[in-house]
Amino acid sequence: MGITKTQIFNEEQNDLAQFFKVLGHPARVAILQYVSNQNACICNDLVEEIGLAQATISQHLKELKSIGLLNGEIEGKKMCYCINVERWETIQNQLNNFFNKTKSNCC
Amino acid sequence: MGITKTQIFNEEQNDLAQFFKVLGHPARVAILQYVSNQNACICNDLVEEIGLAQATISQHLKELKSIGLLNGEIEGKKMCYCINVERWETIQNQLNNFFNKTKSNCC
DNA sequence: TTTTAATATTGCAATATTACGATATTAAAA
DNA sequence: TTTTAATATCGTAATATTGCAATATTAAAA
């Protein structure tokens, strides 16, 4: 099929999986690392930096925006992408909560 | 295409993305939660618990094993799945390291 | 031994993702 | 105004993922 049966899972499970999924591509990991290491916000040297076509980078940026992890601000004909730190921390907390609650075990 | 260009990313980026990707499905999140909440290790009530076909659950378990997050031990004709706590903590640390190193920003 | 139960594997159909060229769009620069 | 540069969107091909029925496999139970 290829279609995920989201209806049979609860909201927490679907949300967590959604975050993980968006972060689950090396280009998106690389974008986040690069954006956070720039002092200036004017990005999109990303295309050169990462080595994927402009259309592809744009698509990955869209996915990172879809979970609120990146904000894009228009600055003339350039875009200023930056990490939404508040959202970032919220997500980190949710993931840690998952890890901490889930690691107890019997073996 | 559908093929990820892993060659153009470094090992850290690919590893992180791989973890995230495996965790990026609600069934796999649910499996981890369920396994960790059982006192006994004898799982696979999972099929009933989660509501996907046996073949599908088996496939998801395989992916979780592929990143070392679950161990499976044969117990007669049953399988005892349990979380590899050491591995679990390693991954949690790596993810936290990524989040902490990456959140600095300019906006 | 034969049966049964638990799990894995195979094969396949449906859908999703990745990547990119081509083509918009839009705002500054000329 | 025309050109140019930066970015987004569209269309599409190649590949991956999800899910399941059917079929192995294997070990205990009968």
Side-chain angles (χ1 to χ4, degrees):
Chain A
M1 316 219 147
I3 192 166
T4 296
K5 289 188 155 180
T6 50
Q7 347 81 256
I8 68 175
F9 302 102
N10 66 35
E11 204 182 335
E12 189 201 7
Q13 290 163 339
N14 284 314
D15 280 358
L16 281 168
Q18 184 59 29
F19 297 148
F20 283 128
K21 191 174 181 182
V22 169
L23 294 168
H25 190 289
R28 296 194 283 269
V29 169
I31 287 172
L32 291 172
Q33 288 176 330
Y34 185 75
V35 170
S36 86
N37 287 332
Q38 292 304 100
N39 292 326
C41 258
I42 312 301
C43 309
N44 284 49
D45 328 291
L46 278 172
V47 175
E48 286 211 359
E49 200 36 42
I50 293 189
L52 290 169
Q54 183 267 319
T56 309
I57 295 289
S58 195
Q59 220 175 232
H60 284 305
L61 286 166
K62 194 175 174 185
E63 290 183 71
L64 289 167
K65 274 188 287 184
S66 80
I67 57 167
L69 225 43
L70 278 188
N71 288 333
E73 235 178 89
I74 299 169
E75 291 202 351
K77 56 186 170 185
K78 299 203 172 189
M79 283 293 288
C80 164
Y81 278 110
C82 47
I83 289 175
N84 181 337
V85 177
E86 204 174 322
R87 182 73 172 136
W88 186 261
E89 282 169 358
T90 302
I91 290 177
Q92 183 176 14
N93 285 338
Q94 276 187 262
L95 299 192
N96 265 318
N97 195 264
F98 166 73
F99 271 89
N100 291 332
K101 270 207 307 212
T102 308
K103 79 181 159 192
S104 67
N105 208 22
C106 61
C107 299
Chain B
M1 318 217 148
I3 191 164
T4 296
K5 289 187 156 180
T6 51
Q7 347 82 255
I8 69 175
F9 303 102
N10 65 37
E11 204 182 332
E12 190 201 7
Q13 291 163 339
N14 284 315
D15 279 0
L16 280 168
Q18 184 60 28
F19 297 148
F20 282 129
K21 192 174 180 182
V22 169
L23 294 169
H25 191 290
R28 296 194 283 270
V29 169
I31 287 172
L32 291 172
Q33 289 176 330
Y34 185 75
V35 170
S36 86
N37 287 332
Q38 293 304 101
N39 292 327
C41 259
I42 313 299
C43 311
N44 283 45
D45 326 290
L46 278 172
V47 175
E48 287 211 358
E49 199 35 43
I50 293 189
L52 290 169
Q54 183 267 321
T56 308
I57 296 289
S58 193
Q59 220 175 232
H60 284 304
L61 286 167
K62 194 176 175 183
E63 291 182 71
L64 288 167
K65 274 188 286 184
S66 80
I67 56 166
L69 224 43
L70 280 188
N71 287 334
E73 235 179 272
I74 300 169
E75 291 202 352
K77 55 187 170 184
K78 300 205 173 188
M79 283 293 289
C80 162
Y81 278 111
C82 48
I83 289 176
N84 181 337
V85 176
E86 204 174 322
R87 182 75 172 135
W88 186 262
E89 281 169 359
T90 302
I91 289 177
Q92 183 176 15
N93 285 338
Q94 277 187 259
L95 299 192
N96 266 316
N97 195 263
F98 166 73
F99 271 91
N100 291 333
K101 271 207 306 210
T102 308
K103 80 179 161 196
S104 67
N105 207 22
C106 61
C107 300

